[in-house]
Amino acid sequence: MTQQTQNILIGHLTEVRGDGMDARITEEHSTAAPIIKLGDEEILAGHIGSYVVIRQSHIGVLALVFKMWERDRFDGAGNRATDRFIALIPVGELNESNVFIRGVRHYPTPGAAVYAVGLSEINAIFSKFRDYEFFIGQLASHKDYHLSLDPRALFGRHFAIIGQSGSGKSWTVTSLIQHTMKAMPKTHMIMLDLHGEYCWKRPDGSIESAFPAEQVNYVDAMDLEMPYWMMSYAELVDLFIDRDDRGASMQMSFMREVLQQLKRKEAKAIGLGVVSIDTPIYFSLAEMYMQFKAANEERKDFGKTKGALFGQFDEFLVTMQSRFNDVRYDFLLKPKKRNNSASMADLLRQFVGLGQKKANITVVDLSSVPTDVRPAVSAQVGRLAYEFNYWNPRRREFPITLICEEAHAYIPREKGGQFDGTKKMMERIAKEGRKYGVSIGVVSQRPTELSETMLAQCSSFICLRTTNPDDQQYIRGLVPEAEGDLADILSSLGRGEALVLGEAAPLPTRVQIYRPNPEPKSNDVDYYTSWREGPDDLDVEGIVENWRTQNRH
């Protein structure tokens, strides 16, 4: 520590616990305006969100202030005095060379001195991270200090952005991606945009985006055609088979047999020697339907004896027929461009930004995709990214990050649900993806509804305002015990303000995320202005037409 900061004593420890410490503020700094000057900046002694260092002999512990209170005491004559206390969360140690080490191995005892920490000390702590020049915002306690994260830890080991509706999740995601592309010009990202917030069509049909036009590739899932034959067996089961149906196991077994047969036929036609149930090659959906229908209606002995599978596939045939007849599923079940095995390479080029237009981020707009099939499509996008790099010999030079907006919708916590297969696929990416250069950034407003496996694989968390007690408790359980009390700060965060926890930051940090430029299309509806100056009439016929054609643009 510098001599100047060491001389600014603000308190002494009164209690030391394994998960925190309490300190009494000195009388001179227990005033109504306890202002102290550190270098060129003035701060309030011991204010919430600020850092302090505890010194005792050779021990130096850096801590974060997260609570402050006062307590009255009376002397023998009945005169009242007030003591001010602060609660501290230890976040790391400072050795004799003033180098920051995460985690606390040596704890001080009550009576140890507590000193204020200024900008110069914070700079020493964050200096290693500043070399990355990956800045995301300003420290809440020191507005002149800009925070840089470690991109290797953030993107290489999965991360989560958590916050309730209106806390600034879309703002944070947009700002993070904008500064990622600025710091790393060869970024490769794929975003699942469920609500059309990051790329959208103007009334004239042109594309507007929250990212630079030359760096973004907009893909409308309805126009893209994500053909059924690229789906894995588990995803096809999710799409066509109700797992709660009594005959589900029989339907799944027969589908496996039919798929093997149809794919062997295609493999022979294209000269492919070995084929599995999940090999992404073309097969005829109509042919699969006819095989199920034939088995379901099979009779022997001139119609006197029913076949072994007679009547077993009634539910399957009804579900498949209804899916096939629903125009909303044409992009998936009736491909016009991608109706042969050779068309797969072009689709993958579009996904990873290597198509005719090179791009750093591919935004897959799922806003027009039927809600009940979005999970299957989302998992398919994730699986294609995973499989692409799994088989890519230069995967270490071409890492990909998959940004999953509203992740709780298709990576749910519940087990054995309708989309269990797609959930398992995304969890597999979380568990194995980083070995092959594929990481995930999950974005959710309800961490308690998100897969525990997914969150357990995340090493960094950007937590925005969260007032729900269950969600706060869940976040508290995600971080080390000593940092768990930081969850109490979550309800007081402002819009776009976040608590950064985990390996990407040297210590738990409260930061104001930079305002994105341009902003995503996620601003709340202005009821006041709309109800004062809004339209007197609407094109109801046009709304009906959009509804019928499933066109939201």
Side-chain angles (χ1 to χ4, degrees):
M1 301 292 291
T2 64
Q3 187 64 35
Q4 179 192 28
T5 304
Q6 282 190 1
N7 289 336
I8 304 183
L9 177 72
I10 64 169
H12 293 91
L13 288 187
T14 58
E15 184 177 347
V16 178
R17 305 178 300 276
D19 60 348
M21 308 174 190
D22 292 344
R24 180 190 292 113
I25 299 294
T26 58
E27 191 172 340
E28 64 178 303
H29 296 308
S30 298
T31 60
I35 297 174
I36 57 177
K37 189 166 184 178
L38 295 169
D40 296 329
E41 61 176 335
E42 290 185 344
I43 64 173
L44 296 174
H47 71 282
I48 291 177
S50 66
Y51 297 102
V52 297
V53 66
I54 300 110
R55 291 283 184 186
Q56 187 178 53
S57 183
H58 65 283
I59 296 174
V61 175
L62 189 77
L64 181 69
V65 180
F66 84 99
K67 185 179 179 182
M68 178 182 286
W69 71 98
E70 290 187 341
R71 185 181 300 149
D72 290 340
R73 58 180 168 81
F74 298 87
D75 59 18
N79 298 315
R80 188 181 71 175
T82 301
D83 290 330
R84 182 174 297 174
F85 296 86
I86 53 175
L88 307 171
I89 298 172
V91 294
E93 294 184 11
L94 291 170
N95 64 17
E96 295 176 358
S97 302
N98 202 34
V99 175
F100 177 75
I101 304 169
R102 195 176 180 113
V104 179
R105 297 157 189 81
H106 307 94
Y107 282 83
T109 63
V114 179
Y115 298 95
V117 170
L119 203 56
S120 59
E121 286 72 36
I122 290 176
N123 196 47
I125 296 164
F126 287 94
S127 59
K128 178 183 174 183
F129 286 67
R130 289 180 69 84
D131 293 341
Y132 293 112
E133 297 185 348
F134 177 42
F135 298 102
I136 66 160
Q138 301 154 290
L139 291 191
S141 58
H142 300 274
K143 294 296 185 183
D144 294 333
Y145 194 87
H146 298 266
L147 175 70
S148 173
L149 300 183
D150 179 355
R152 289 192 177 101
L154 185 70
F155 297 109
R157 298 170 193 164
H158 310 308
F159 66 93
I161 297 176
I162 299 168
Q164 68 186 41
S165 180
S167 62
K169 288 193 305 300
S170 301
W171 166 324
T172 301
V173 172
T174 303
S175 179
L176 185 71
I177 294 175
Q178 288 174 352
H179 287 87
T180 298
M181 293 190 294
K182 183 177 179 181
M184 294 164 280
K186 293 191 176 180
T187 297
H188 304 290
M189 288 185 175
I190 301 173
M191 170 179 277
L192 297 171
D193 184 4
L194 268 66
H195 304 298
E197 295 177 304
Y198 302 94
C199 277
W200 58 94
K201 289 183 180 178
R202 297 191 187 97
D204 61 4
S206 59
I207 303 299
E208 191 170 348
S209 173
F211 311 115
E214 67 277 5
Q215 293 180 290
V216 65
N217 177 32
Y218 171 78
V219 175
D220 188 332
M222 300 295 282
D223 297 333
L224 175 66
E225 289 192 3
M226 301 181 62
Y228 62 88
W229 54 265
M230 290 188 192
M231 300 177 80
S232 68
Y233 166 70
E235 291 165 346
L236 287 168
V237 167
D238 285 341
L239 188 61
F240 292 125
I241 297 176
D242 182 358
R243 294 173 187 271
D244 294 329
D245 182 23
R246 286 184 303 173
S249 59
M250 180 69 73
Q251 295 167 19
M252 289 161 67
S253 299
F254 193 71
M255 178 187 279
R256 177 181 288 274
E257 183 181 327
V258 171
L259 281 176
Q260 285 279 19
Q261 178 188 334
L262 294 175
K263 290 193 174 185
R264 284 195 198 103
K265 177 181 172 183
E266 174 69 7
K268 186 176 180 181
I270 64 175
L272 190 62
V274 181
V275 67
S276 75
I277 189 79
D278 288 329
T279 302
I281 55 176
Y282 177 80
F283 69 91
S284 170
L285 198 62
E287 199 170 333
M288 184 174 80
Y289 176 84
M290 292 309 297
Q291 290 209 31
F292 267 91
K293 190 171 186 295
N296 195 60
E297 299 173 354
E298 182 185 14
R299 287 179 178 270
K300 300 177 181 177
D301 300 331
F302 302 100
K304 297 177 182 177
T305 308
K306 294 179 180 178
L309 299 175
F310 185 89
Q312 293 289 326
F313 304 135
D314 291 339
E315 286 284 338
F316 175 86
L317 293 170
V318 169
T319 301
M320 191 170 181
Q321 191 66 50
S322 65
R323 289 272 195 268
F324 202 72
N325 291 337
D326 192 333
V327 295
R328 297 177 303 166
Y329 296 90
D330 285 357
F331 77 101
L332 191 67
L333 303 181
K334 297 178 183 177
K336 296 173 183 173
K337 296 179 291 183
R338 310 192 194 283
N339 51 16
N340 59 74
S341 299
S343 61
M344 184 174 178
D346 180 58
L347 175 63
L348 290 175
R349 279 189 171 277
Q350 274 195 277
F351 265 118
V352 298
L354 297 177
Q356 291 183 341
K357 176 190 175 184
K358 298 288 192 294
N360 295 112
I361 180 169
T362 298
V363 177
V364 182
D365 184 1
L366 297 168
S367 59
S368 299
V369 176
T371 54
D372 54 344
V373 82
R374 275 184 198 169
V377 177
S378 301
Q380 187 185 16
V381 172
R383 185 177 58 79
L384 289 177
Y386 173 80
E387 297 283 1
F388 177 85
N389 252 16
Y390 181 88
W391 300 106
N392 177 11
R394 301 184 65 182
R395 66 179 74 92
R396 300 186 69 85
E397 303 165 39
F398 197 90
I400 299 170
T401 292
L402 184 66
I403 306 293
C404 300
E405 264 280 343
E406 302 291 348
H408 55 271
Y410 46 93
I411 320 176
R413 189 176 186 182
E414 63 175 345
K415 297 179 180 178
Q418 181 183 4
F419 296 104
D420 198 47
T422 55
K423 172 190 168 186
K424 287 179 179 176
M425 184 63 239
M426 299 301 274
E427 288 179 345
R428 180 189 171 194
I429 298 173
K431 288 185 283 189
E432 304 174 13
R434 64 191 189 93
K435 302 174 187 173
Y436 307 106
V438 181
S439 66
I440 289 185
V442 291
V443 184
S444 176
Q445 56 183 284
R446 288 308 309 272
T448 50
E449 295 178 6
L450 191 58
S451 162
E452 291 175 293
T453 301
M454 178 63 68
L455 283 176
Q457 296 298 322
C458 293
S459 69
S460 301
F461 299 88
I462 299 176
C463 305
L464 295 110
R465 185 173 68 252
T466 304
T467 56
N468 185 288
D470 293 335
D471 290 335
Q472 286 187 357
Q473 185 62 36
Y474 194 75
I475 293 171
R476 186 178 284 110
L478 292 173
V479 299
E481 185 178 355
E483 300 173 8
D485 288 330
L486 285 168
D488 296 339
I489 297 176
L490 295 174
S491 59
S492 64
L493 296 175
R495 181 177 173 83
E497 192 177 16
L499 190 64
V500 182
L501 306 166
E503 296 181 20
L507 67 166
T509 308
R510 185 171 178 171
V511 60
Q512 178 65 51
I513 304 295
Y514 293 134
R515 190 182 190 93
N517 184 26
E519 295 187 17
K521 187 183 177 183
S522 60
N523 293 332
D524 295 333
V525 174
D526 184 350
Y527 276 73
Y528 177 76
T529 303
S530 297
W531 283 357
R532 284 171 60 94
E533 306 170 10
D536 296 320
D537 197 8
L538 292 173
D539 179 11
V540 178
E541 289 76 16
I543 294 172
V544 171
E545 181 66 17
N546 290 343
W547 191 345
R548 288 172 175 166
T549 59
Q550 298 293 298
N551 180 17
R552 296 179 63 246
H553 298 299

